Amino acid sequence: MGKFGHEFLEFEFRPDGKLRYANNSNYKNDTMIRKEVYLSPALMKELRRIIETSEIMKEDDNLWPQPDRVGRQELEIVLGNEHISFTTAKIGSLVDVQGSKDPEGLRAFYYLVQDLKCLVFSLISLHFK
């Protein structure tokens, strides 16, 4: 539970190009926001490139900080025949990454999540405004 109750940000890129987005925040009594949009094949190709160049598929979360009362971050990727899932504590900044037992792997995770969040926020705001 966060400061404002059960908060989460979730997005899913489907193979057919559908982007599903959900943001649940109780900040100032906000309600859950859900959006869906279809992405072009070119954008899906770019998403794949971002994931592949991050080299996240080579990583392992065994040495990453375990989720705690502050929160958790999860990332699940299905890319072709590869399927990988990560869970770690909520990362506040790069200081948390540097202090971990696997700073290189956690850094790849941290930057990929940041890149994906920026992409999703841009797509949602461009499409729905």
Side-chain angles (χ1 to χ4, degrees):
M1 283 292 196
K3 184 177 178 182
F4 301 102
H6 184 68
E7 298 179 281
F8 66 85
L9 171 67
E10 181 177 289
F11 49 87
E12 175 184 18
F13 294 95
R14 304 287 308 151
D16 63 356
K18 183 190 277 189
L19 165 59
R20 297 177 67 211
Y21 167 86
N23 188 344
N24 187 39
S25 171
N26 293 325
Y27 179 68
K28 294 186 178 177
N29 296 321
D30 239 353
T31 58
M32 184 172 321
I33 300 165
R34 289 186 183 273
K35 306 274 185 189
E36 289 186 357
V37 63
Y38 279 91
L39 307 176
S40 71
L43 216 146
M44 292 300 288
K45 185 177 177 183
E46 178 62 10
L47 173 65
R48 183 181 194 95
R49 187 198 65 77
I50 290 169
I51 293 168
E52 287 172 346
T53 55
S54 77
E55 298 189 336
I56 195 70
M57 302 303 274
K58 297 177 183 174
E59 300 302 334
D60 184 328
D61 64 358
N62 284 335
L63 297 176
W64 298 358
Q66 292 299 305
D68 55 21
R69 63 177 189 76
V70 174
R72 69 190 298 123
Q73 285 182 263
E74 297 177 18
L75 178 66
E76 182 178 11
I77 299 173
V78 179
L79 199 58
N81 293 330
E82 291 182 87
H83 182 194
I84 197 159
S85 212
F86 301 101
T87 303
T88 188
K90 191 170 179 184
I91 302 170
S93 70
L94 277 175
V95 172
D96 299 333
V97 171
Q98 294 302 98
S100 77
K101 292 177 185 169
D102 178 18
E104 224 170 273
L106 198 54
R107 188 178 306 110
F109 173 86
Y110 176 79
Y111 281 125
L112 176 60
V113 168
Q114 295 294 17
D115 288 348
L116 294 176
K117 281 169 53 176
C118 286
L119 177 62
V120 167
F121 290 148
S122 295
L123 291 169
I124 295 297
S125 67
L126 283 169
H127 186 81
F128 290 100
K129 290 190 178 171

